[in-house]
Amino acid sequence: IKKNLKYFEKRMLFKLKLCVCIITHYCLSIDSFRMNMPVSMNMVKNSSKVGENKFKENVAGNDLKKKGVVIVGGGPAGLSAALLFAKRGWNNITVLESSPSPSYFDASKGFSYRINKKGLKQMERFDLREKLMNNSFGDSTFNLTTIKPNKVKENKTIPFSDKDSQGYWLFRQNFIEILYNEVCSDRFKDKINVIYNSQCKDIVRKNGENYSVVYEYAKNESSDDPHKFLEANLIVGADGLFSVVRSKLKEWDIENGGSGKGFEMKPFKSGSSGLQYKVLT
């Protein structure tokens, strides 16, 4: 994200009015426009306003940062993106998250993360490395359990030969709470606003100049007008498998003559499929 944001701010070759982003595992493309970056954040140009003039630094550095960012999804990716934007000087950052609170436990996402060397460096940028290490446990060995067809079980402990391979495990919920507490700190509370119990419903293009993010509160919230609007010049999609942002990118790609396939989720066969046993030690 950091490398792509730097690219966007300083080297973008297209004159943009808005840039829609999506967090994913791979760089995606639209209208044959591709960000050949190793970090997975996709910048999509506004195809109705394409120019060959260079995108000036003073525009990216001043106008866009003042007009704000909307991040759809308040999980680890969304909160990390919000902190990254804030540290780089962006203001008026809004995060939309469907869960009712940062402490809400979603049983369908009750898994753990392993933070490796690269992840620790990112946490250092947020001054959160110590907090992460205090709320996790490190691993210096790999435990392998083998169960043979005759049901005889063998355990092997394999030490990591490279110290940099050591990681730190923590529950997803703990990870979110660490990031959220930093979002609410004195350094960032005036720059980042997290709206819980809210769901992004649509993204509307307005005259090709700016965009509105349409969202609504959960049904248990009392409101005369269920639909709310946020103006944005930069939209970050961190809303998981059934991403509204990805769906809109697909829709706009088709409207512009593309196939939309670049924004579809693609199933791949798991390397662990067909195993008789799965053992976690």
Side-chain angles (χ1 to χ4, degrees), residues 193-210:
N193 179 33
V194 184
I195 304 177
Y196 283 95
N197 234 10
S198 62
Q199 292 185 337
C200 176
K201 293 297 183 179
D202 198 6
I203 302 172
V204 181
R205 292 189 286 191
K206 301 172 64 177
N207 301 322
E209 297 293 328
N210 53 24

Side-chain angles (χ1 to χ4, degrees), residues 13 18 35 40 50 55 60 71 79-80 85 89 93 118 121 123 126 146 153 162 194 212 217 245 254 266 270 272:
L13 298 179
L18 172 90
M35 296 278 292
S40 53
V50 178
F55 189 62
I71 300 172
L79 294 177
S80 296
F85 280 115
I93 303 166
K118 186 180 294 185
K121 285 185 177 180
M123 297 300 284
F126 300 150
T146 304
K153 183 172 67 174
D162 184 3
V194 184
S212 288
Y217 291 109
V245 179
I254 295 174
K266 297 180 180 180
S270 170
S272 61

Side-chain angles (χ1 to χ4, degrees), residues 29-34 44-48 50 252-253 256-258 263:
S29 62
I30 182 172
D31 294 339
S32 300
F33 175 67
R34 191 173 190 85
V44 183
K45 63 183 174 65
N46 178 359
S47 57
S48 63
V50 178
W252 294 337
D253 187 23
N256 293 332
F263 298 100

Side-chain angles (χ1 to χ4, degrees), residues 70-108:
V70 173
I71 300 172
V72 184
L79 294 177
S80 296
L83 290 171
L84 177 60
F85 280 115
K87 286 184 69 67
R88 293 183 64 85
W90 291 65
N91 300 305
N92 191 21
I93 303 166
T94 302
V95 181
L96 298 176
E97 169 55 34
S98 59
S99 63
S101 70
S103 59
Y104 175 77
F105 177 74
D106 186 349
S108 65

